[in-house]
Amino acid sequence: MSNGIIIRTQDLARSFGTVRAVDGITFEVDSGTVFGFLGPNGSGKTTTIRLLLGLLEPTGGRAEVLGADTMRDGDAIRQRCGALLENTGLYERLSAEENLDFYGRVWHLSAAERAARIRELLSGLNLWERRTETVANWSRGMKQKLAVARALLHRPQLVFLDEPTAGLDPVAAAALLEELDQLVHQQGVTVFLTTHNLNEAEKMCERVAVIHQGRLISIGSPDELRLRQGGGRLEIVGRGFTEGVLAALRQRAEVKAVSQENQHLVLELAGEVDTAPLVQILVAHGVQIDEVRKGKASLEEVFLELVKE
Amino acid sequence: MLTDIFTIIQKEMKEILLQRGSRRAGMLNMLLMVGVFGIFIPLQSASMWFDSPLFPIMWSWMPVFMTTWLVADAVAGERERHTLETLLASRLSDRAIYLGKLGAAVLYGFGMALTNLLVAAVTVNLIRFSADGLRFYPLDLFLALLVFTVLACGLLAGAGVLISLRAATARQAYQRLSIVLLALWLPLILGMQFLPASWKEALSRLFAGASASGILLIVSLVLLAIDAALVAAGLARFKRARLVIE
C-alpha cells in the first residue's frame, strides 16, 4: 500500500443470508482527504464502515485500512481510527465531560492530555460551558457535536462519520458541518463520510463514491461525476417556445433532454459543450429570450440519475 | 489489559450510581439496601446475628440478587441504548469489555455484601455491647463468607452477561435471568420440603457435624467450578463480529 492511500478495498463483499449488503466494491481513499460515501438508505454504507473497522468479517474480497488487513488486524485499525456510527453512542446518564473522559481513558490518554483535549474540542464546538450537564437533556445537534468530539479525541489518523447530520434541522446541520470542516482541517485527519445529503457531500468531499444496492456505481470528484453523467445544463427564460424549436433542439447531438414549463426551458447537455449554437437556434425560431443561464447539474441530480440507472 | 478492564469497571460503576436518574437517587438506593440488610434485619436478630452463622450467611448476600438488573443491563442495555457498537468500534479488546462488565457486577455485589456485613456487626454491637461486650464474626466464617459472596456474585454475573448477550433488551435479559434463578432455587427449596424424613435427618446430622465455614468453602468450590465454566463460555461468546449483527 502506498503512503498516500489510507483505505483500499478489493471486491469487498458482505452477505447476510441471501442478501448481498455489500457486493464486490473496489475503491481507494487518499490520505488527508474527505471522502464521501453516498447512497440511499439500505444501500450498504453502514455495512461498509463496519467492514472497514474490522467489526464485521467480509464474505468476499478484502480491505486494507491504514496498511492493515481488516480481517487480521482489526484491533490495530481501531486503535488508529475514530468513529461516529449510525447512533451517537453517548452514555446519556453521564455528562459530556464524563463521556469524553471515559473514551480518553479507553485510548490511554494521560489525565493532563484528557483534560486539555476535552477543553480544546468542547471549546471548538461551543460546548465547553455545558460540559457538566447530563447528555440526556441535550438537543440532538449538541449530541452529534459531542459524538464528533469523541471521534476526534485521541487524534486518530482516520475518522469514520456515518451520516453525522442525520436528523438535524438545516441550521444545526450547517453549523455542525462548518465546525466539523474546521476541525478536520485543523487536525489534518482523513475523513470517510457517509451521507445521503448530497449538498453536504458536495461542500466537504474531495472525492465521492456512490453505492446503490451494495454495488459501487460511480467514483470520482463531484465535478468528475457531473461530467460523467453529462452534467451541463442550459436554462432559458423567455417566450415563444414552439414545438418546432423544441424539435430542432432535440435533434442536436449535444442536447440530452429538453423540458419546458411555461416560460422556462431547460436543456440537459452532454458534457461541457459550446452553447452559442443552441442560443442561435432559439433566436432563429423567433424565441424572445429574457435570460440565459448556463450551469452544472447538482450532485443531487447526478446521484438521482445514477441511482435511477 | 488490566487498565482497560478497570476503565470499563469505572464507567459501569458511574452508570450504576446514575441509573436512578441522579447520583443522589443512586446513593439513596444503596443506603436503603444497607438500611434493610445491614441495620433492620440485624436489629431484629440481635445477638443471634453472631451466635447463629445462618443469619449472616442468609442475609448478607441477599444484595447479590440486587445485581441481577445490573448484569442484565450489561450488554442488552448497551445495545438497547445504542452505545454498544461505539464501544466495540474502540480499541478495547472483546476480553477487556467482557471482563470489565463482569468485574463491575461482581464488585458491586461484593461491595454491598461486605458493607452489609460490617454495618450489621456495628449495629448488633451498638445494641448488645452492654450485655455481650464487643463481638465480631468468627474469623473463619467471615473469610469464608467473603469468598462465598465473591463467587456467588461471579455466578450471577457470569450467567447474567451470557443471558444479556442473547437478549434484545435489558428487560428481556432481566426476565430471563429471573426465570433461570427461579428454576435453580425452586427445585432446591421444593426438594427440601418433599425429602423423606430419614433423608432430612441424615442431612441435619451431616450439617450439624460440619462447621458453617467448612460448608461454605465446599459450596464455594462448586461455585468456583461453575464460575470458571461460565466465564469461559462468556469469553467464547463475547465476539464483536457477532455482537454487531445481533
Side-chain angles (χ1 to χ4, degrees):
Chain A
M1 180 176 283
S2 76
N3 287 337
I5 294 170
I6 207 160
I7 299 174
R8 173 177 285 156
T9 72
Q10 183 69 48
D11 298 323
L12 187 66
R14 172 72 202 204
S15 298
F16 297 102
T18 55
V19 179
R20 286 181 76 81
V22 174
D23 194 0
I25 61 175
T26 300
F27 65 89
E28 288 175 352
V29 176
D30 294 329
S31 179
T33 61
V34 180
F35 183 83
F37 203 57
L38 318 181
N41 291 335
S43 56
K45 303 188 296 287
T46 300
T47 304
T48 305
I49 287 192
R50 287 172 172 172
L51 287 166
L52 295 176
L53 276 168
L55 295 176
L56 277 180
E57 288 177 3
T59 47
R62 61 194 299 269
E64 275 181 32
V65 176
L66 295 156
D69 186 288
T70 57
M71 281 268 274
R72 288 196 312 266
D73 306 315
D75 289 345
I77 291 168
R78 287 187 294 274
Q79 174 89 36
R80 294 155 68 194
C81 289
L84 162 56
L85 303 173
E86 256 181 319
N87 298 288
T88 57
L90 297 168
Y91 293 100
E92 302 228 337
R93 293 170 191 158
L94 306 184
S95 70
E97 198 171 26
E98 285 169 332
N99 265 282
L100 294 186
D101 189 67
F102 166 61
Y103 274 98
R105 286 172 192 270
V106 163
W107 261 281
H108 293 182
L109 302 184
S110 69
E113 266 181 298
R114 286 200 304 274
R117 191 75 177 132
I118 290 169
R119 186 177 189 118
E120 181 191 352
L121 285 166
L122 290 185
S123 301
L125 292 164
N126 297 315
L127 295 173
W128 176 248
E129 300 302 321
R130 304 185 68 172
R131 67 191 179 281
T132 54
E133 291 175 19
T134 307
V135 172
N137 302 326
W138 279 18
S139 70
R140 193 179 163 113
M142 289 166 71
K143 287 179 189 173
Q144 288 288 105
K145 285 206 269 185
L146 181 59
V148 169
R150 185 201 55 219
L152 296 170
L153 185 67
H154 54 293
R155 299 184 194 278
Q157 285 173 266
L158 171 63
V159 183
F160 291 93
L161 300 174
D162 194 359
E163 308 206 2
T165 57
L168 297 186
D169 63 69
V171 177
L176 175 63
L177 281 181
E178 201 181 311
E179 281 158 345
L180 182 62
D181 200 39
Q182 276 176 13
L183 275 175
V184 162
H185 285 101
Q186 278 167 15
Q187 319 274 336
V189 294
T190 306
V191 178
F192 186 94
L193 173 80
T194 77
T195 181
H196 51 226
N197 183 331
L198 300 153
N199 288 331
E200 75 184 35
E202 195 153 21
K203 275 183 206 155
M204 290 193 66
C205 304
E206 280 98 331
R207 289 181 79 227
V208 292
V210 179
I211 185 172
H212 184 47
Q213 293 175 341
R215 294 201 188 104
L216 204 64
I217 51 177
S218 197
I219 186 165
S221 70
D223 279 342
E224 282 169 350
L225 256 60
R226 266 193 289 264
L227 213 60
R228 224 172 284 160
Q229 285 307 108
R233 62 160 53 190
L234 193 67
E235 290 177 43
I236 302 110
V237 181
R239 278 158 293 172
F241 298 121
T242 60
E243 278 306 314
V245 71
L246 298 184
L249 288 169
R250 284 192 185 105
Q251 281 175 2
R252 301 283 301 190
E254 68 267 44
V255 177
K256 281 175 66 186
V258 178
S259 60
Q260 187 226 330
E261 199 170 312
N262 300 324
Q263 296 175 355
H264 196 194
L265 182 73
V266 178
L267 307 181
E268 300 290 343
L269 306 174
E272 296 288 314
V273 297
D274 181 12
T275 53
L278 301 173
V279 178
Q280 279 169 7
I281 291 172
L282 291 165
V283 173
H285 280 79
V287 173
Q288 290 181 296
I289 298 172
D290 293 331
E291 191 180 342
V292 176
R293 279 197 299 266
K294 194 176 169 184
K296 292 174 177 173
S298 67
L299 190 57
E300 189 162 350
E301 285 161 325
V302 172
F303 173 77
L304 290 173
E305 188 74 18
L306 281 167
V307 170
K308 201 167 67 187
E309 283 169 7
Chain B
M1 177 146 107
L2 277 177
T3 313
D4 293 340
I5 294 171
F6 182 68
T7 299
I8 293 284
I9 290 176
Q10 216 176 14
K11 189 273 291 178
E12 294 286 316
M13 286 298 184
K14 267 186 191 165
E15 285 217 286
I16 289 168
L17 205 59
L18 288 165
Q19 70 174 341
R20 299 204 172 246
S22 66
R23 276 191 176 80
R24 186 181 293 179
M27 290 299 286
L28 272 175
N29 183 51
M30 285 187 204
L31 285 175
L32 190 70
M33 270 204 275
V34 174
V36 173
F37 298 111
I39 299 173
F40 179 71
I41 290 167
L43 273 180
Q44 303 299 306
S45 51
S47 54
M48 283 292 284
W49 187 263
F50 290 124
D51 294 335
S52 167
L54 272 179
F55 280 92
I57 290 173
M58 200 164 72
W59 292 111
S60 66
W61 73 289
M62 280 304 281
V64 170
F65 284 109
M66 305 296 174
T67 61
T68 312
W69 177 255
L70 305 181
V71 288
D73 192 67
V75 180
E78 287 235 20
R79 187 186 286 131
E80 198 178 353
R81 292 188 293 275
H82 306 295
T83 51
L84 184 62
E85 196 178 359
T86 302
L87 193 62
L88 296 175
S90 74
R91 56 161 293 285
L92 293 173
S93 66
D94 294 344
R95 195 166 279 237
I97 298 173
Y98 171 75
L99 292 176
K101 286 184 172 292
L102 200 73
V106 171
L107 209 64
Y108 177 78
F110 175 70
M112 286 306 295
L114 180 64
T115 307
N116 284 335
L117 275 175
L118 296 176
V119 172
V122 173
T123 304
V124 174
N125 272 301
L126 280 176
I127 57 162
R128 298 291 305 169
F129 181 71
S130 54
D132 303 339
L134 191 64
R135 297 185 67 188
F136 195 65
Y137 310 97
L139 192 63
D140 59 339
L141 175 71
F142 184 65
L143 293 176
L145 256 174
L146 296 187
V147 172
F148 172 71
T149 309
V150 169
L151 294 169
C153 288
L155 172 77
L156 199 73
V161 174
L162 265 182
I163 289 168
S164 183
L165 278 167
R166 289 165 192 270
T169 62
R171 186 174 293 276
Q172 191 184 60
Y174 179 69
Q175 285 166 347
R176 286 182 187 174
L177 185 57
S178 302
I179 290 168
V180 168
L181 286 177
L182 207 65
L184 285 174
W185 283 110
L186 217 58
L188 201 70
I189 293 163
L190 288 178
M192 287 299 283
Q193 298 293 319
F194 295 109
L195 270 183
S198 57
W199 286 40
K200 281 185 187 172
E201 225 171 277
L203 272 175
S204 298
R205 273 200 303 275
L206 181 76
F207 282 109
S211 72
S213 56
I215 293 169
L216 271 181
L217 282 176
I218 291 167
V219 175
S220 296
L221 282 175
V222 176
L223 282 179
L224 183 65
I226 300 172
D227 283 3
L230 284 174
V231 171
L235 285 171
R237 181 71 179 68
F238 199 98
K239 299 281 178 233
R240 65 219 312 145
R242 281 175 84 168
L243 290 168
V244 162
I245 51 176
E246 278 172 349

